[in-house]
C-alpha cells in the first residue's frame, strides 16, 4: 500500500489491516517517487527470491482529497519549500495532489513504466475522500 503520511489516511484504519497484513509505504502525498519505485522493486525481488513461482502481489496507490500537498500549488509556499529542501521548484508542483483520481492514475502508470518493477505486480487505483 502506497499512501500519504497524513494521519487521516492511516491504511491500518481505513483498510482494516492487521499486523503483517500488508507492507505500507507512506510519504508526502503517497506519490510514486524514484525512492518508492526502489522500495517496490526491493519487495518484488524479495518475493521472487523466496517464491520463484509465487503469486502476484498487488500494489495499491491511494491518494486522498484535501491533501496537504495542495500547498505545493501555491507559488509562495512552493518557492519557500524548494529553498528549504534544496530542490528545483519546478519539480514540486507536480507532487501536489489536487485531483486524487488523476494523480493515482499517473502514479500507477509510473509504476508500470518503471524498468525495475517486474511483471508480477498489479497496480490498483483508489481514491479516498476525507
Ligand atoms: Zn495527503
Amino acid at each position: 500500500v502506497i499512501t500519504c503520511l497524513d494521519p487521516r489516511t492511516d491504511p491500518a484504519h481505513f483498510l482494516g489491516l492487521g499486523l503483517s497484513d500488508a507492507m505500507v509505504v507512506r510519504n508526502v502525498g503517497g506519490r510514486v517517487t524514484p525512492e518508492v519505485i526502489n522500495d517496490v522493486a526491493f519487495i518484488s525481488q524479495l518475493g521472487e527470491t523466496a517464491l520463484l513461482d509465487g503469486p502476484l502481489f498487488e500494489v495499491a496507490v491511494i491518494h486522498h482529497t484535501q491533501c496537504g500537498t495542495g500547498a505545493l500549488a501555491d507559488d509562495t509556499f512552493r518557492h519557500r519549500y524548494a529553498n528549504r529542501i534544496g530542490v528545483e521548484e519546478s519539480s514540486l508542483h507536480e507532487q501536489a495532489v489536487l485531483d486524487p483520481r488523476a494523480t493515482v492514475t499517473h502514479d500507477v502508470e509510473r509504476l508500470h513504466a518503471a524498468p525495475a518493477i517486474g511483471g508480477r505486480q498489479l497496480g490498483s487505483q483508489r481514491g479516498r475522500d476525507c
Side-chain angles (χ1 to χ4, degrees):
V1 176
I2 301 167
T3 194
C4 186
L5 51 71
D6 187 312
R8 298 170 296 171
T9 62
D10 182 347
H13 178 74
F14 72 83
L15 295 177
L17 299 175
L19 186 64
S20 78
D21 282 347
M23 295 182 191
V24 177
V25 177
R26 298 180 75 182
N27 64 17
V28 174
R31 301 309 307 266
V32 174
T33 62
E35 294 80 14
V36 168
I37 289 171
N38 288 346
D39 288 346
V40 173
F42 181 79
I43 295 164
S44 178
Q45 185 163 325
L46 278 180
E48 291 164 6
T49 301
L51 301 167
L52 294 178
D53 296 318
L56 291 168
F57 69 90
E58 184 176 17
V59 178
V61 179
I62 304 171
H63 295 169
H64 67 103
T65 56
Q66 301 174 15
C67 186
T69 60
L72 294 170
D74 177 80
D75 292 343
T76 302
F77 181 93
R78 188 177 59 253
H79 180 74
R80 288 180 46 222
Y81 182 57
N83 285 338
R84 183 176 193 146
I85 65 170
V87 301
E88 288 293 323
E89 186 176 340
S90 61
S91 70
L92 294 175
H93 192 274
E94 71 177 31
Q95 291 184 20
V97 176
L98 301 172
D99 178 350
R101 289 183 192 276
T103 52
V104 164
T105 298
H106 178 270
D107 283 8
V108 168
E109 289 171 358
R110 183 180 285 168
L111 276 174
H112 283 291
I117 307 294
R120 295 174 62 194
Q121 300 80 38
L122 299 174
S124 68
Q125 304 176 25
R126 303 241 170 120
R128 180 170 191 274
D129 292 325
C130 64

